[in-house]
Amino acid sequence: MTNTDGNEHGMAQDRIALLLADAAQEIETGPAPVAAVVRGGRRRRARRWAATAVAPRWWRGHGGGGAGAARP
């Protein structure tokens, strides 16, 4: 569906493009919040580390699983 096919699809796409262009003009860009991004990465890394450290203990405490759990 292109603008030249004579259907209303081209007009709808044109309207959407104009609305997006208007919205883009209203956005003010500024410097990236580098400190916040770094802090977020550290938090994410800490959560991953904590989950990795806790998972084996949780797994052992809840029956373990695998071949060892099937034994009577």
Side-chain angles (χ1 to χ4, degrees):
M1 304 284 172
T2 63
N3 287 343
T4 59
D5 64 0
N7 292 334
E8 196 173 307
H9 296 290
M11 293 188 68
Q13 289 177 353
D14 289 343
R15 279 187 250 135
I16 292 171
L18 288 173
L19 290 170
L20 287 172
D22 288 342
Q25 287 178 350
E26 295 176 9
I27 296 174
E28 294 181 21
T29 58
V34 176
V37 171
V38 170
R39 202 168 41 244
R42 287 181 184 153
R43 278 192 212 126
R44 210 171 294 121
R45 199 173 317 124
R47 279 195 305 265
R48 264 191 238 124
W49 181 86
T52 305
V54 170
R57 294 179 193 151
W58 180 88
W59 190 253
R60 274 181 284 180
H62 286 82
R71 293 184 190 162

